[in-house]
Amino acid sequence: GDSVTQMEGPVTLSEEAFLTINCTYTATGYPSLFWYVQYPGEGLQLLLKATKADDKGSNKGFEATYRKETTSFHLEKGSVQVSDSAVYFCALGGLSGSARQLTFGSGTQLTVLP
Amino acid sequence: EADIYQTPRYLVIGTGKKITLECSQTMGHDKMYWYQQDPGMELHLIHYSYGVNSTEKGDLSSESTVSRIRTEHFPLTLESARPSHTSQYLCASSELADTQYFGPGTRLTVL
């Protein structure tokens, strides 16, 4: 079945450092790929998504490119801020018509120090 | 931005109590979901719904039940709460076979 493998955390960075959180997936067909972010005490928020190979999703300085050849969707940001401290989830979208649509990775805790 | 609401945000109750966690969305989405999030952060799908009068169990076995009488409302009920039910419960909705929008969650503690 579908699965998502996400870089284990926790990750601790200094402000303005470069961020990469690795995500690889296993799926049949051509799934959509997502990154969600969860701030302390809150639910998940969509950060970015890509729906087909070579698409780049971007939002708030974060980027991820859908790489079909390596089955990856790594999250990157050039310069992190303290406010980026949160848990980041990579997710894979199932086939159209299925309500069981998102398969989540295990989450990566990011802490950014001033 | 999505409008999906969960109440209560925090709940502390004793063993054996019946509880209902509320989830409502104002976007008219057909699909709704309940996830259980453990302390290690991993999300587990416990229930989902395609639409009114449609409910299915998810990947993780749960003693909870759900109902979908109205499009906007998807409550989750525990008939007899136990300490093993202590967790964060997240509700989500979606329109297409694509993006899910999440509520703020209910943190449940059963003593």
Side-chain angles (χ1 to χ4, degrees):
Chain A
D2 296 349
S3 68
V4 175
T5 301
Q6 191 174 332
M7 174 174 145
E8 289 189 17
V11 174
T12 302
L13 296 173
S14 297
E15 204 165 25
E16 299 184 2
F18 184 86
L19 168 71
T20 300
I21 301 177
N22 290 338
C23 172
T24 57
Y25 67 90
T26 302
T28 55
Y30 302 93
S32 296
L33 298 173
F34 304 82
W35 278 101
Y36 281 83
V37 58
Q38 185 176 30
Y39 298 102
E42 299 183 11
L44 275 67
Q45 300 176 24
L46 177 67
L47 181 59
L48 54 84
K49 69 178 184 180
T51 57
K52 61 184 187 294
D54 299 325
D55 266 3
K56 178 186 283 188
S58 61
N59 186 25
K60 299 181 181 179
F62 291 89
E63 293 183 340
T65 301
Y66 189 160
R67 302 284 188 199
K68 192 171 188 303
E69 63 276 13
T70 54
T71 61
S72 65
F73 193 54
H74 304 321
L75 182 68
E76 297 182 336
K77 187 175 186 183
S79 176
V80 293
Q81 305 300 312
V82 173
S83 57
D84 294 326
S85 297
V87 180
Y88 292 81
F89 292 90
C90 184
L92 177 157
L95 296 175
S96 176
S98 167
R100 303 181 64 174
Q101 296 170 0
L102 289 184
T103 301
F104 286 91
S106 55
T108 301
Q109 172 81 55
L110 170 67
T111 301
V112 180
L113 302 175
Chain B
E1 187 161 321
D3 293 318
I4 180 164
Y5 308 97
Q6 289 185 246
T7 58
R9 292 294 311 278
Y10 303 92
L11 181 61
V12 181
I13 60 166
T15 296
K17 299 292 186 183
K18 178 180 178 179
I19 60 167
T20 296
L21 307 185
E22 302 288 349
C23 176
S24 295
Q25 50 98 2
T26 59
M27 297 163 287
H29 289 172
D30 285 330
K31 298 179 177 61
M32 296 189 74
Y33 314 83
W34 276 103
Y35 293 87
Q36 187 172 337
Q37 185 173 29
D38 61 28
M41 303 177 299
E42 197 155 347
L43 289 147
H44 303 281
L45 180 67
I46 52 175
H47 297 283
Y48 62 96
S49 168
Y50 286 104
V52 171
N53 295 325
S54 157
T55 61
E56 301 286 344
K57 288 188 179 295
D59 300 317
L60 180 68
S61 175
S62 173
E63 294 166 347
S64 59
T65 59
V66 293
S67 63
R68 190 88 184 275
I69 298 172
R70 304 197 314 266
T71 297
E72 63 271 22
H73 195 213
F74 191 41
L76 180 146
T77 298
L78 279 166
E79 290 293 332
S80 180
R82 296 207 302 269
S84 60
H85 296 138
T86 295
S87 191
Q88 164 110 312
Y89 292 85
L90 294 171
C91 181
S93 72
S94 70
E95 183 176 27
L96 304 173
D98 197 67
T99 307
Q100 290 185 18
Y101 297 95
F102 284 79
T106 293
R107 184 165 296 281
L108 172 65
T109 302
V110 183
L111 303 174

